[in-house]
Amino acid sequence: MKHTEKKPTSGVTVPSWRRIATAVVMPACLISAPLAHAEPTNFKVDNEHFSMVFEIMHIGYAPVMGMFREIEGDFVYDEETRELSSGKLIFKSNSVFTNHKKRDEHVTNKDFLHSSRHPDIVFTVTDFSATGDNTGQVTGDLAMLGQTNPVVLDVTLNKSAVYPFGHEEYTLGISAETSLKRSEWGMTYGLDGDMVGDEVTLRFGFEAIKQ
């Protein structure tokens, strides 16, 4: 039996083998096309909306809570690929506040933070891994008292949107927490007799503005 081609309504004859080849090639082209993704973006920490609270046990009775009032920082983040490529937070060690003037003076002297010699506490991001839709772990190096050790933060992205008033810029809202042993940085005052605990809990909350 002689094979005949069907004519499309346009009046142009298209061989069936060519129609089949086109159907196969087109999806392949789509698959091989590069996927567009968001560019890594620099975000600057808004120091008007930043809190870092620490807790440390005092003689086993109750935790003393304090905070650092002066910070600065920025980081580079790609929201679509969820890649945190760099970042740094700097805390001014003499800005510590524990709601007691004499205790603040003690915390900033050589027994603890030694602020006159080490004015900055610096956290530098080294890695990031996602653990959920809006959670992850940030690994970084914490430099304090002239020593540097790795620290892992559990991080939650609370919100990402254009700010509803004020600067009206695109902003990320972030919470994070971790715990560490201060003795690993050579801060050993008060460890004997458990006068001052070794384990320190840190909790962060801040907003970061897209640059």
Side-chain angles (χ1 to χ4, degrees):
M1 180 181 293
K2 184 178 179 181
H3 177 73
T4 57
E5 301 290 346
K6 292 183 179 180
K7 293 184 179 181
T9 55
S10 63
V12 178
T13 301
V14 180
S16 58
W17 62 265
R18 185 173 296 174
R19 292 198 300 271
I20 295 172
T22 301
V24 172
V25 170
M26 285 300 291
C29 292
L30 294 175
I31 292 171
S32 62
L35 296 176
H37 61 81
E39 291 293 330
T41 303
N42 187 64
F43 290 87
K44 186 176 180 62
V45 174
D46 182 359
N47 57 15
E48 293 184 1
H49 297 96
F50 181 98
S51 298
M52 197 287 276
V53 178
F54 61 83
E55 296 183 14
I56 185 168
M57 188 61 69
H58 182 242
I59 327 179
Y61 285 107
V64 170
M65 301 180 187
M67 64 186 302
F68 290 94
R69 293 178 292 184
E70 294 180 24
I71 67 94
E72 60 185 54
D74 56 23
F75 56 90
V76 177
Y77 182 60
D78 187 324
E79 281 196 87
E80 186 161 329
T81 63
R82 304 180 70 185
E83 293 181 3
L84 180 64
S85 53
S86 65
K88 181 177 290 187
L89 294 175
I90 302 174
F91 306 86
K92 297 299 181 180
S93 62
N94 65 356
S95 71
V96 70
F97 173 77
T98 67
N99 200 33
H100 191 279
K101 184 178 180 180
K102 288 186 177 181
R103 181 168 55 227
D104 292 348
E105 292 172 353
H106 189 194
V107 171
T108 57
N109 77 14
K110 63 181 181 180
D111 288 338
F112 292 98
L113 296 175
H114 208 169
S115 297
S116 61
R117 181 174 293 182
H118 305 286
D120 293 339
I121 300 171
V122 183
F123 178 78
T124 304
V125 172
T126 58
D127 195 15
F128 171 75
S129 60
T131 58
D133 291 340
N134 65 328
T135 59
Q137 287 191 325
V138 175
T139 302
D141 291 329
L142 181 64
M144 180 170 61
L145 295 174
Q147 300 188 42
T148 302
N149 290 301
V151 172
V152 179
L153 302 177
D154 292 318
V155 178
T156 300
L157 176 61
N158 301 313
K159 185 176 182 177
S160 55
V162 173
Y163 217 65
F165 52 83
H167 56 71
E168 298 183 342
E169 301 289 347
Y170 189 80
T171 302
L172 305 183
I174 296 170
S175 299
E177 62 179 82
T178 190
S179 62
L180 54 84
K181 291 185 181 297
R182 62 187 178 94
S183 59
E184 294 180 0
W185 283 264
M187 191 188 299
T188 59
Y189 178 87
L191 291 181
D192 292 341
D194 290 328
M195 291 292 291
V196 181
D198 190 14
E199 184 170 331
V200 182
T201 299
L202 305 176
R203 294 188 177 89
F204 305 80
F206 63 90
E207 299 172 7
I209 303 171
K210 182 178 180 179
Q211 300 301 290

